[in-house]
Amino acid sequence: MKILLLTQNEPFFLAQNLASFLDRLPAEHTVVACVVLAPSPFGQKKTMPRKAWETLQIFGLRFFLHYAFHYVRARLDPRRQVLRVLQSRDIPVLSPKGSVNAPDFLDQLRALQPDLLISIAGNQIFKRPLIDLAPKGCLNLHTALLPKYRGLFPSFWVLRNGEAETGVSVFMVDEGIDSGPILVQKRVAIQGMSQQDLIRHTKALGMEALLEAVRLIHQGGYTLQPNDDHAMTYYRFPTRQDVRAFRAQGARFF
């Protein structure tokens, strides 16, 4: 199969996991290109100083300094850079000037004739022309057990709510938010993990789930699990009050 990836230039956890996925992808599959979107942890476009200020205000100084250090380290270490991971494997990189759904950008993607789209940390809402661009569909990885914990920052919310387990879901993208039918799910016991531990664990587990999903799509005859809207919960980005409740729960960021 010809696979088109869609991701973002996230500097903390993504590069090493993306490298693991690419290096373990069976030889009969080819990644024809990767669409790399600008990082947007708040789900919208903001300048880097504004993002830094809001991170400091919401999560506090220790959290800010911890991730500021990791951000600088990622800028200096090619192994932690999404673009370097792609370039080292000769995967063409495409970056839209605006929306990934723009008609002229979709024409560029169609020219690649992908069989399957895979979104890993894609941070734009995909519209129907993009979803339908590849004949085998569009997969997305979400680091929670759908239909619960749709939306942003699920690793925060499962700890904030004192859940005993979480997991990852690979689902077929539709025009909703984390609402498409589920192809693969994997569970993990939280067992006192910090949020950083949980992110690392679920990102790695997510690569396992994606590889399994690619195998199922390639083989055909797979069964999709309903992503029940009636059972769903949805979460936005945390506020300062949510962070206080997170800490009061006894949860740790790292």
Side-chain angles (χ1 to χ4, degrees), residues 87-103:
Q87 290 165 1
S88 68
R89 290 158 178 80
D90 297 320
I91 296 173
V93 173
L94 303 173
S95 296
K97 294 181 180 179
S99 172
V100 71
N101 300 288

Side-chain angles (χ1 to χ4, degrees), residues 20-226:
S20 172
F21 172 78
L22 292 171
D23 292 346
R24 295 161 63 196
L25 191 65
E28 62 263 30
H29 307 305
T30 302
V31 177
V32 293
C34 184
V35 176
V36 179
L37 305 166
S40 183
F42 284 77
Q44 56 185 295
K45 292 183 179 179
K46 294 184 180 180
T47 65
M48 184 58 69
R50 179 67 182 274
K51 290 175 186 176
W53 173 249
E54 291 187 347
T55 299
L56 176 61
Q57 292 298 301
I58 292 171
F59 294 101
L61 180 61
R62 185 165 176 257
F63 181 100
F64 175 81
L65 291 175
H66 178 83
Y67 280 102
F69 168 78
H70 284 282
Y71 177 80
V72 172
R73 187 171 69 163
R75 300 280 289 186
L76 299 174
D77 184 352
R79 296 171 300 173
R80 299 176 184 274
Q81 298 171 19
V82 169
L83 293 178
R84 293 293 291 271
V85 166
L86 296 168
Q87 290 165 1
S88 68
R89 290 158 178 80
D90 297 320
I91 296 173
V93 173
L94 303 173
S95 296
K97 294 181 180 179
S99 172
V100 71
N101 300 288
D104 57 341
F105 190 69
L106 291 181
D107 287 341
Q108 294 183 53
L109 303 185
R110 286 192 192 95
L112 298 169
Q113 298 182 317
D115 299 303
L116 177 68
L117 307 184
I118 299 178
S119 171
I120 305 173
N123 58 354
Q124 293 190 23
I125 295 175
F126 298 170
K127 295 183 179 178
R128 180 56 60 185
L130 175 57
I131 295 168
D132 292 341
L133 191 143
K136 293 185 182 295
C138 178
L139 298 176
N140 186 59
L141 171 65
H142 186 68
T143 50
L145 293 173
L146 296 172
K148 302 293 187 183
Y149 294 99
R150 295 182 186 177
L152 296 175
F153 222 18
S155 61
F156 172 91
W157 292 108
V158 295
L159 292 173
R160 158 65 182 86
N161 294 337
E163 298 284 4
E165 70 170 4
T166 185
V168 299
S169 304
V170 177
F171 65 94
M172 290 286 191
V173 175
D174 62 14
E175 290 184 284
I177 297 177
D178 303 327
S179 56
I182 300 160
L183 180 57
V184 176
Q185 280 193 320
K186 294 183 179 293
R187 296 176 177 269
V188 57
I190 293 174
Q191 296 180 327
M193 280 192 275
S194 69
Q195 192 217 8
Q196 181 173 269
D197 294 335
L198 192 57
I199 292 173
R200 286 177 173 154
H201 191 87
T202 53
K203 291 289 187 188
L205 189 64
M207 299 306 109
E208 300 278 354
L210 279 173
L211 290 166
E212 181 177 337
V214 169
R215 177 179 59 80
L216 291 171
I217 293 287
H218 183 58
Q219 291 175 347
Y222 54 85
T223 300
L224 294 172
Q225 173 185 338

